[in-house]
Amino acid sequence: MEEKYSVNGYIKLWIPNSPNEQYIKTVREVIADKSRLRAAFDKIYPTVTHPDHHD
């Protein structure tokens, strides 16, 4: 994820003052904060691997 979406990643989604600008900023903030990234992963992963079992 860092290689692709972080501040130094190769995804350069940049349309000033657009919703995409805020979305990519949020993604980059989560990637930079390893505990937030782990929490997001732990929340999302079960819904992808076992869509029938939600908390």
Side-chain angles (χ1 to χ4, degrees):
M1 286 187 62
E2 282 189 48
E3 184 179 312
K4 187 172 185 178
Y5 295 106
S6 73
V7 174
N8 299 315
Y10 64 84
I11 294 293
K12 304 296 183 201
L13 181 63
W14 216 247
I15 302 171
N17 302 315
S18 75
N20 288 335
E21 181 179 25
Q22 183 57 47
Y23 297 146
I24 197 71
K25 179 181 178 203
T26 301
V27 168
R28 288 176 173 163
E29 288 171 355
V30 172
I31 290 171
D33 182 339
K34 300 305 180 205
S35 63
R36 279 180 69 192
L37 181 59
R38 171 50 71 179
F41 175 85
D42 289 344
K43 181 178 179 180
I44 295 168
Y45 186 75
T47 68
V48 175
T49 58
H50 302 293
D52 300 349
H53 300 93
H54 298 300
D55 287 341

